[in-house]
Amino acid sequence: MKRKRMTREGWGFQHFPYYQMRIEREDFRGLACIIRMTSGHTCYWHMPKAGKVAVCGEGMTWLTLVPDGANHILTAKINSRGRVNVWYADVIDRIVFDEDGVAAFVDMYLDVIFSARGDVRVDDREELDDAHTSGELTDAQHALALAESEKILQACCEDIPATERWCLSILREALGRMNAPDTLRKNAP
């Protein structure tokens, strides 16, 4: 299993403003992490229904939600017009915190990717199964990953417009708290 920092070091995003805060509301309890992409060329994914979809580039914002008690994180890749282009949910083993306070996750390979246009796919099942076969993942971890992907599909993909409204409402709250004393900031003014 790979350990990945929320600042996305190694992905080319470590120099962008990063904000990490705790959110406590009726519909979400956990961490909200924001990466503001202040420069860079736009990169696209091609999806069957949505077509050519921007996933990173100048003017985009990534909002990553880390719900308490869940075994996944959900990243909304938001365009400069304030709409979600695509979501990427990583199924995870756990969250850890580095010495500098930045959250990191231990990835369990399986991912759920979906778009505002209704594209939905589960990725990297082969990697999950290979890790299980090799003994890297226990039977319990393998079953947990599969069950968590089903939870993501049910909670987020059955009503994608509602998922977008939910994510954007959390983003608005998080943006309002970016300069709060309890917000962790990296590369941010």
Side-chain angles (χ1 to χ4, degrees):
M1 290 185 283
K2 293 182 184 176
R3 187 180 178 286
K4 300 175 181 178
R5 279 172 56 96
M6 294 294 186
T7 51
R8 309 295 176 146
E9 273 95 349
W11 296 21
F13 300 134
Q14 65 267 20
H15 302 294
F16 292 125
Y18 171 81
Y19 305 87
Q20 175 182 299
M21 68 205 66
R22 178 124 188 107
I23 300 285
E24 295 278 344
R25 30 189 278 173
E26 185 69 29
D27 61 351
F28 179 77
R29 287 181 175 77
L31 286 180
C33 308
I34 297 171
I35 295 176
R36 305 291 305 259
M37 296 183 190
T38 55
S39 62
H41 297 289
T42 303
C43 298
Y44 298 92
W45 287 348
H46 293 276
M47 304 185 89
K49 293 180 182 177
K52 185 177 174 181
V53 178
V55 294
C56 65
E58 185 173 356
M60 290 194 71
T61 298
W62 281 15
L63 169 68
T64 300
L65 300 175
V66 185
D68 289 349
N71 284 91
H72 73 272
I73 65 169
L74 178 65
T75 302
K77 299 173 186 219
I78 302 162
N79 64 38
S80 61
R81 295 179 317 280
R83 299 296 309 266
V84 179
N85 284 353
V86 69
W87 287 266
Y88 196 103
D90 292 274
V91 175
I92 66 168
D93 182 62
R94 66 189 175 280
I95 293 291
V96 295
F97 291 89
D98 289 340
E99 288 180 11
D100 63 356
V102 172
F105 62 98
V106 179
D107 191 8
M108 288 205 315
Y109 305 107
L110 203 58
D111 306 305
V112 177
I113 301 165
F114 57 103
S115 77
R117 290 295 203 69
D119 297 284
V120 178
R121 76 174 191 256
V122 177
D123 257 4
D124 300 329
R125 172 68 191 260
E126 290 176 9
E127 286 184 44
L128 174 76
D129 291 344
D130 289 347
H132 179 240
T133 301
S134 74
E136 181 183 356
L137 294 178
T138 65
D139 292 343
Q141 288 172 312
H142 185 263
L144 176 93
L146 293 174
E148 194 71 18
S149 70
E150 286 300 317
K151 287 179 189 176
I152 296 163
L153 290 168
Q154 290 174 4
C156 299
C157 300
E158 288 183 0
D159 187 350
I160 293 174
T163 299
E164 181 172 35
R165 287 189 300 275
W166 175 71
C167 286
L168 294 178
S169 74
I170 294 171
L171 176 63
R172 281 190 297 277
E173 182 174 335
L175 290 173
R177 295 188 44 213
M178 288 188 345
N179 292 317
D182 60 341
T183 296
L184 184 135
R185 293 180 290 284
K186 295 279 184 188
N187 305 314

